[in-house]
Amino acid sequence: MAGHSHWAQIKRKKAAQDAKRGKIFTKLIREIMVAARMGGGDPSANPRLRAAIQAAKAANMPKENIERAIRKGTGQEPGTTWEEVTYEGYGPGGVAVLIKSVTDNKRRTVSELRHIFSKCGGNLAEPGAVAWVFEQKGLILVNRNETDEEKLLEAALEAGAEDVREYESEFEIITLPEDLENVKKALEEAGFVIQSARVTMVPKSTVKIEDEKTAQQMLRLMETLEDHDDVQQVYANFDIPDELMERVGANI
């Protein structure tokens, strides 16, 4: 997973560019609306909405934008009806790709995603083709700077975390989805600074990519998919060595 984690770090560096374009606000507003429509407008009783609001605040979204999105989601204000749709596909080298989208036009979205896959050396697949490769987990990120690894490991496992993974600039704490909030709270009470905490999809197995052209195609596919307005999250099970990721990722 080292290579995939490195891609996640590259993504976060690009988040500031997305914020400047306003793209991240668009995606966050859609997520808030869908979460509110599916689970109600009270964040204390709707974990998904609570997480969406936290992400919006972290991106410095104005409070009134958040509240308006909630009202639109619950139907208190008129607005576009967004539908959550999951798409599956294969990237270069047979990499499994899972896409979470929010769309107001499924026909348009699937046509555009099919074109993106084709252009980047992959193909869109039928429902159920790759979903089995992934499992839902809680993911907490803690910055490595000034973090005592042994204390973090002890606190995380004691709180109910499944695993703690160490990377160049951060620690990943893996939990069961239902344990995410409790582990996050325990780590904060222990004095650790949480970068982010969310429910995500983690691959059960990975596909190693060592060919530069294939790696470039795969990262181009990820970048293009994530840049699509209807796409909220993209998950893939590629593993690209750090050295190759650094070289190829810098040009994406």
Side-chain angles (χ1 to χ4, degrees):
M1 285 290 289
H4 194 264
S5 176
H6 200 154
W7 166 249
Q9 292 173 35
I10 292 172
K11 263 193 346 184
R12 284 191 281 278
K13 289 177 184 177
K14 296 186 178 205
Q17 297 171 2
D18 286 340
K20 288 177 183 176
R21 295 200 305 264
K23 186 176 289 290
I24 194 168
F25 274 21
T26 300
K27 291 177 184 280
L28 288 169
I29 285 171
R30 291 185 187 181
E31 172 62 15
I32 291 170
M33 290 173 64
V34 170
R37 179 168 63 85
M38 295 179 69
D42 179 6
S44 64
N46 185 342
R48 179 172 174 177
L49 178 59
R50 186 164 62 247
I53 291 172
Q54 289 172 350
K57 288 180 176 178
N60 297 315
M61 182 182 291
K63 183 180 178 182
E64 55 267 28
N65 293 34
I66 295 172
E67 292 174 347
R68 189 182 307 117
I70 294 172
R71 291 195 298 271
K72 287 183 177 180
T74 56
Q76 294 172 278
E77 284 189 18
T80 303
T81 300
W82 298 101
E83 184 177 0
E84 188 174 45
V85 187
T86 298
Y87 297 99
E88 303 174 43
Y90 293 99
V95 170
V97 182
L98 191 67
I99 303 162
K100 300 287 187 179
S101 75
V102 174
T103 178
D104 62 343
N105 186 329
K106 290 193 290 184
R107 185 173 295 180
R108 180 202 67 225
T109 302
V110 73
S111 174
E112 292 176 354
L113 293 183
R114 185 175 288 112
H115 176 70
I116 290 171
F117 270 96
S118 177
K119 189 171 65 172
C120 297
N123 62 280
L124 204 59
E126 294 297 317
V130 303
W132 61 273
V133 175
F134 301 88
E135 54 186 346
Q136 196 174 56
K137 295 289 183 181
L139 176 65
I140 300 170
L141 299 182
V142 175
N143 196 304
R144 269 195 65 170
N145 292 340
E146 300 178 5
T147 298
D148 187 304
E149 181 181 358
E150 287 189 16
K151 288 183 179 178
L152 176 64
L153 180 62
E154 182 181 352
L157 296 180
E158 189 175 319
E162 289 190 330
D163 193 14
V164 177
R165 300 168 181 172
E166 180 183 3
Y167 296 106
E168 186 178 341
S169 61
E170 63 197 10
F171 291 100
E172 287 185 357
I173 297 92
I174 308 296
T175 76
L176 291 173
E178 59 268 26
D179 293 336
L180 177 65
E181 287 293 327
N182 289 338
V183 175
K184 175 177 177 286
K185 184 178 178 181
L187 292 178
E188 287 175 332
E189 290 175 350
F192 296 101
V193 178
I194 306 298
Q195 284 185 306
S196 69
R198 57 191 170 89
V199 173
T200 187
M201 302 299 290
V202 176
K204 300 174 188 175
S205 61
T206 58
V207 175
K208 193 158 189 176
I209 296 177
E210 297 182 283
D211 173 69
E212 184 164 336
K213 182 180 178 182
T214 305
Q216 196 168 39
Q217 282 183 314
M218 187 64 234
L219 296 190
R220 179 65 67 189
L221 174 62
M222 293 291 290
E223 175 78 3
T224 309
L225 287 172
E226 290 179 344
D227 202 43
H228 192 283
D229 285 344
D230 296 344
V231 173
Q232 295 292 94
Q233 298 289 340
V234 183
Y235 308 100
N237 72 333
F238 63 84
D239 183 8
I240 300 174
D242 279 350
E243 184 181 341
L244 179 57
M245 176 73 79
E246 188 74 46
R247 188 166 69 249
V248 175
N251 298 318
I252 297 299

